[in-house]
Amino acid sequence: MFLKKLHLKNFRNYEDTSLEFSPGINVLLGQNAQGKTNLLESIYVLATARSHRTANDHELIRFGNNDADIMGFVHRRADDLPLELELGKRGKKARVNHLEQAKLSQYIGQLNVILFAPEDLSLVKGSPNGRRRFIDMEFGQIAPRYLHDLTSYRGVLKQRNRYLKLLSARKTNDRVYLDVLSEQLASFGGSIIAQRQKFLDDLEKYAQELHLSITQRQEKLSFEYDSKLKNIAGYSEQELQQLMYQQLQEQYEKEIFQGTTLIGPHRDDIKFLINDKNVQTYGSQGQQRTTALSVKLAEIDVMKEQTGEYPLLLLDDVLSELDGQRQTHLLKTIQNKVQTFLTAPAMNDVARNLIKEPKIFTIKNGN
Ligand code: ATP
Ligand code: MG
């Protein structure tokens, strides 16, 4: 798939801008603070209905305005599909083919993107929160059931935490309701864990091969789902649901004491291993970056496998963060395959040599 056209109205520092893109590589050049990341962000928001930089949609609306509008023409399979996301003070409206979608989950997934920004290079070293977000955002785009389970899980978790606080403050003693909430939470939680494990297995298959090739076959990369639940290996989805329910029940006293839910996918993590050693603990900075690169590039293939089409790749200022060999690898992997949007202050030599027929945009002050 590729994005043919984009129209931005009052999005960040763009007042009213229409752009036509190449299905190949689009290079966005410009000095600092001109709107390069804003443009990538608008494509990301058009695809996922949320920003990678902020949870507050009002930050996306151009200063002094009440709403922003992102419109795009996506070419997928044989069709051109108009997508539109309107961001207002009172929430957002999402339209596919000019028809407003009742649920955002019906909208997400029409356009698939992978974003790679300098902060992603810290995927390995950074907080567990970042790694959970990575799985949720990337997998959520291509797996509607996952997105649904995740939304339901978050809803029940909120309720359950509120109820644990009541129990903790002795405003109620009713454990039956805690049981009900625990069973619901475990039902969504078990499904989420099973789906995450499957996604990681799929991703590992591709990431391992890419990583071997980037490291001249020196490093075997593998992933592990690191759960707060005990002994989850080899369990089916249903068994994971039961296991989570059981382990929640074993923790009631502790959870009531702390007034919060202590186990479940909202606390889980991913471990990255190189030659069976944890990269987070033992890996050099370069190994951690290369791991992040392999993971991101592997996603391209996973998305292709699951949706039948390659996603768009948004690369924000990453070339300057990688050495020549890794830049070359990255650019070779995406050539003639994936529509790419790449920002940089200026073209460097590797890019000049490897990017064939780029469409170049120079961005200055939101124009
Ligand atoms: P760098 O090379 O430093 O990363 P960039 O070109 O990626 O720069 P962006 O992050 O795209 O820069 O744009 C930043 C500019 O957008 C800032 O000058 C900021 O003031 C402006 N900006 C951010 N949000 C809004 C908004 N809601 N309304 C108007 N302008 C905004
Ligand atoms: Mg930027």
Side-chain angles (χ1 to χ4, degrees):
M1 68 174 70
F2 66 92
L3 183 64
K4 265 185 154 171
K5 289 184 198 171
L6 183 71
H7 185 172
L8 301 178
K9 256 174 114 171
N10 296 326
F11 182 89
R12 294 277 194 192
N13 66 342
Y14 290 90
E15 187 178 355
D16 195 341
T17 299
S18 288
L19 296 160
E20 262 184 62
F21 299 116
S22 148
I25 297 187
N26 298 276
V27 179
L28 315 173
L29 300 178
Q31 301 193 325
N32 295 142
Q34 299 306 311
K36 301 184 297 297
T37 302
N38 292 348
L39 186 56
L40 291 191
E41 185 183 33
S42 75
I43 299 173
Y44 188 87
V45 176
L46 183 69
T48 65
R50 59 186 276 187
S51 164
H52 65 290
R53 295 204 281 192
T54 173
N56 292 333
D57 285 342
H58 71 256
E59 288 174 25
L60 306 175
I61 301 170
R62 190 162 187 268
F63 302 144
N65 289 273
N66 291 323
D67 31 62
D69 210 9
I70 313 171
M71 282 163 280
F73 268 98
V74 178
H75 185 84
R76 56 180 301 175
R77 309 218 162 81
D79 295 326
D80 281 344
L81 187 67
L83 293 182
E84 184 180 357
L85 199 73
E86 206 182 295
L87 307 162
K89 290 246 147 67
R90 263 188 257 112
K92 46 198 154 200
K93 284 188 190 141
R95 297 189 189 93
V96 179
N97 232 335
H98 310 293
L99 289 175
E100 191 173 336
Q101 306 293 300
K103 288 185 182 164
L104 279 180
S105 57
Q106 290 168 334
Y107 173 84
I108 298 167
Q110 310 290 331
L111 172 65
N112 300 130
V113 298
I114 290 170
L115 175 99
F116 196 19
E119 54 271 26
D120 289 305
L121 291 168
S122 63
L123 178 74
V124 177
K125 191 76 183 169
S127 70
N129 200 22
R131 285 183 290 276
R132 283 193 294 270
R133 200 187 131 80
F134 151 74
I135 283 206
D136 293 346
M137 289 307 291
E138 315 293 346
F139 190 34
Q141 282 188 59
I142 50 173
R145 182 165 88 93
Y146 182 75
L147 205 59
H148 168 267
D149 289 342
L150 195 65
T151 313
S152 309
Y153 181 85
R154 286 181 180 146
V156 180
L157 181 67
K158 226 184 207 168
Q159 266 182 294
R160 191 172 184 273
N161 284 340
R162 228 183 283 137
Y163 197 67
L164 282 169
K165 289 207 171 59
L166 288 181
L167 284 163
S168 177
R170 294 181 199 282
K171 290 190 174 141
T172 174
N173 272 322
D174 181 6
R175 299 272 179 112
V176 178
Y177 186 53
L178 181 62
D179 256 341
V180 173
L181 290 174
S182 303
E183 199 178 354
Q184 284 178 5
L185 193 75
S187 155
F188 295 120
S191 297
I192 290 170
I193 294 175
Q195 292 174 80
R196 281 184 182 172
Q197 286 177 318
K198 166 84 174 51
F199 176 65
L200 279 186
D201 281 350
D202 291 343
L203 197 65
E204 186 186 67
K205 190 174 64 184
Y206 292 109
Q208 211 160 61
E209 197 42 52
L210 281 160
H211 198 86
L212 275 172
S213 128
I214 300 177
T215 62
Q216 272 105 32
R217 313 209 79 77
Q218 295 296 305
E219 297 181 2
K220 183 179 145 252
L221 178 66
S222 54
F223 309 152
E224 244 172 52
Y225 189 74
D226 186 13
S227 182
K228 281 274 185 291
L229 262 69
K230 288 181 279 243
N231 308 321
I232 61 164
Y235 280 91
S236 70
E237 180 164 344
Q238 266 186 348
E239 288 165 337
L240 284 169
Q241 292 171 331
Q242 283 159 10
L243 195 74
M244 180 164 166
Y245 183 39
Q246 196 186 319
Q247 292 188 15
L248 277 171
Q249 286 177 314
E250 288 163 10
Q251 307 250 351
Y252 278 177
E253 298 312 322
K254 216 164 137 189
E255 290 194 321
I256 290 170
F257 183 73
Q258 299 196 22
T260 192
T261 303
L262 296 172
I263 57 167
H266 66 292
R267 295 257 173 141
D268 289 352
D269 200 354
I270 314 166
K271 260 193 213 149
F272 299 101
L273 310 161
I274 288 180
N275 299 336
D276 301 320
K277 291 266 185 307
N278 193 334
V279 190
Q280 211 178 352
T281 334
Y282 299 108
S284 74
Q285 208 174 343
Q287 283 176 314
Q288 290 169 356
R289 286 175 171 213
T290 309
T291 300
L293 181 64
S294 303
V295 169
K296 280 283 165 179
L297 292 178
E299 275 180 61
I300 297 175
D301 295 308
V302 173
M303 283 205 181
K304 166 78 161 80
E305 187 181 272
Q306 311 241 333
T307 67
E309 293 197 64
Y310 284 112
L312 275 55
L313 186 63
L314 311 175
L315 299 174
D316 195 10
D317 258 333
V318 286
L319 285 188
S320 56
E321 304 279 335
L322 300 168
D323 66 23
Q325 192 210 328
R326 283 168 185 71
Q327 289 180 35
T328 306
H329 211 280
L330 172 65
L331 293 172
K332 280 197 169 147
T333 310
I334 58 180
Q335 242 167 42
N336 306 325
K337 196 158 95 172
V338 189
Q339 187 188 30
T340 302
F341 298 82
L342 187 156
T343 76
M347 287 286 259
N348 71 12
D349 287 344
V350 179
R352 216 170 277 126
N353 288 333
L354 280 171
I355 303 177
K356 306 245 157 59
E357 298 172 35
K359 182 157 184 180
I360 298 179
F361 297 82
T362 306
I363 299 184
K364 203 170 170 191
N365 199 13
N367 283 293

